[in-house]
Amino acid sequence: MVAETSKAGTPAVQTDDTLVSVRDLKVHFPVRGGFLGTTVASLKAVDGVSLDIKRGETLGVVGESGCGKSTLGRGILQIIKPKSGQVIFEGEELTTLPPDRLRQRRADMQMIFQDPFSSLDPRFTVGRVIAEPLDNFSQGGRSAQKERVRELLQVVGLKPDWVNRYPHEFSGGQRQRIGIARALALNPRFIVADEPISALDVSIQAQVLNLLSDLQKQFNLTYMFIAHNLSAKHISHRVAVMYLGQIMELGTGDDVYYEPQHPYTIALLSASPIPDPELELKRKRIILTGDVPSPVNPPSGCPFHPRCWRAQPICKEQRPLLEQKRPGHMAACHFPGPEAR
């Protein structure tokens, strides 16, 4: 099932293969000013996102820094309370759940954070870090928890007898494996991985990606994989491209990478390095003019139109809907299509 265009208030309908449905999700932050600190404006971090995530798939969410992809992940998990919209997880509307029921649901939805050092308490041993979710949800006694921690360390490729070491004794890649082990502790079904490899050495990134892929197959996990570039294609079944709090394009990794429909996606791809120097010299480079507009005061119509070389008057006046342009391939653009290469 692919994401469908949705109007505000339209209920999301889940099929058997859909784990998470998001409809017209908005996450706005107040901008305060003046002597009394009154709210003078709203920062529209996520501004009307609709998508579905299938069971067992990886949905990559990519875009420039500040486009709202991390806020989208936190909004889906209810770490940040959305202003409006729906998030339906296995048939339950998370945004209206009572606190007690939402807390129970959190065991099924976990997060892997970007910085593997700051996300681990330096005062805790690795064993205590991984066992903390088990403690919070009262799962098992001390003996059972210790056994579970040792099992998780082995699952993520670390030695079980390292339980008494502290985070500072590990490398960045090892710390991220500890963070992954903690996320797996409660046997979740859905994990938001917020740029889990961007803080790691290039030589370690592939290892962590392979680990995530193996764990997905082993435990039938569903991922939202957040990245700042289109490298997410290599682990993702589908890729969503975000710009200024909105989804510009959504499709399979091959569709988005080889047949991009939205000008913003085309510009992102032209900025991604190619390993072959000869192809790098031959390809068409697209240099966007102007700065990214402020999410406090986004442009009317299409948010990308001030920087788009295809923009026409309608782009300034009317916001394009996220619609299917090719089978299974969606874009929010009045003038979609791949660029001549």
Side-chain angles (χ1 to χ4, degrees):
M1 179 175 179
V2 297
E4 299 174 353
T5 303
S6 171
K7 296 180 181 179
T10 303
V13 179
Q14 285 195 310
T15 61
D16 290 340
D17 68 339
T18 304
L19 184 70
V20 182
S21 291
V22 180
R23 289 295 178 271
D24 200 39
L25 191 70
K26 296 182 180 180
V27 181
H28 296 178
F29 298 104
V31 178
R32 305 188 188 279
F35 179 72
L36 297 176
T38 55
T39 300
V40 296
S42 291
L43 189 152
K44 300 174 179 64
V46 176
D47 197 25
V49 168
S50 297
L51 54 82
D52 294 327
I53 305 175
K54 301 176 186 178
R55 297 178 188 273
E57 83 162 338
T58 297
L59 175 68
V61 180
V62 304
E64 294 172 286
S65 296
C67 71
K69 52 191 184 295
S70 294
T71 304
L72 172 62
R74 286 167 166 77
I76 290 174
L77 295 183
Q78 305 299 295
I79 296 174
I80 298 173
K81 198 67 177 175
K83 177 186 178 184
S84 62
Q86 293 180 300
V87 179
I88 297 181
F89 178 78
E90 293 188 323
E92 280 192 295
E93 167 62 273
L94 299 183
T95 60
T96 58
L97 279 185
D100 288 348
R101 179 56 185 160
L102 180 59
R103 187 179 188 279
Q104 293 174 11
R105 265 309 194 184
R106 291 195 187 283
D108 300 319
M109 307 176 295
Q110 294 294 309
M111 190 163 192
I112 300 169
F113 295 93
Q114 177 178 356
D115 186 348
F117 190 73
S118 62
S119 63
L120 305 178
D121 193 324
R123 302 168 300 170
F124 289 179
T125 64
V126 165
R128 188 174 174 188
V129 165
I130 299 174
E132 190 173 16
L134 302 172
D135 270 341
N136 289 340
F137 285 84
S138 302
Q139 292 197 5
R142 292 296 178 189
S143 178
Q145 287 183 6
K146 288 180 179 178
E147 186 58 35
R148 175 63 172 157
V149 169
R150 294 174 67 87
E151 175 190 335
L152 287 166
L153 284 171
Q154 195 163 16
V155 163
V156 299
L158 299 177
K159 294 182 179 180
D161 56 2
W162 287 352
V163 289
N164 294 319
R165 294 188 180 185
Y166 288 85
H168 72 269
E169 299 180 67
F170 294 88
S171 67
Q174 289 172 329
R175 284 195 290 264
Q176 193 59 287
R177 289 172 185 265
I178 294 167
I180 293 170
R182 179 178 58 183
L184 293 174
L186 296 171
N187 294 311
R189 289 186 280 280
F190 178 55
I191 293 178
V192 174
D194 186 7
E195 300 199 42
I197 63 171
S198 63
L200 305 179
D201 292 341
V202 175
S203 59
I204 305 300
Q205 291 180 1
Q207 296 177 21
V208 174
L209 288 178
N210 289 337
L211 172 64
L212 290 172
S213 182
D214 292 342
L215 293 173
Q216 182 174 45
K217 296 171 185 174
Q218 184 176 352
F219 299 110
N220 193 30
L221 297 171
T222 302
Y223 292 141
M224 173 185 277
F225 185 90
I226 297 170
H228 64 273
N229 57 38
L230 286 163
S231 63
K233 167 186 175 291
H234 302 296
I235 192 176
S236 303
H237 298 89
R238 293 184 299 144
V239 174
V241 181
M242 283 191 72
Y243 182 80
L244 215 64
Q246 300 176 32
I247 291 183
M248 299 288 100
E249 188 161 354
L250 175 64
T252 66
D254 285 343
D255 281 346
V256 172
Y257 194 88
Y258 296 113
E259 294 290 334
Q261 297 294 301
H262 199 284
Y264 176 61
T265 309
I266 295 169
L268 276 183
L269 285 167
S270 80
S272 300
I274 295 177
D276 189 329
E278 292 187 7
L279 291 177
E280 178 72 23
L281 290 172
K282 291 178 182 178
R283 74 168 172 172
K284 181 180 178 182
R285 176 80 69 177
I286 296 173
I287 306 297
L288 296 178
T289 59
D291 296 325
V292 179
S294 169
V296 175
N297 185 27
S300 60
C302 175
F304 188 62
H305 86 260
R307 308 174 73 195
C308 182
W309 62 94
R310 295 181 185 174
Q312 301 294 326
I314 190 175
C315 302
K316 185 176 181 180
E317 299 164 3
Q318 183 178 327
R319 174 175 169 175
L321 298 175
L322 183 64
E323 297 176 322
Q324 184 165 274
K325 306 300 182 181
R326 300 169 64 241
H329 192 174
M330 310 180 77
C333 183
H334 293 300
F335 304 99
E339 199 77 2
R341 298 188 182 185

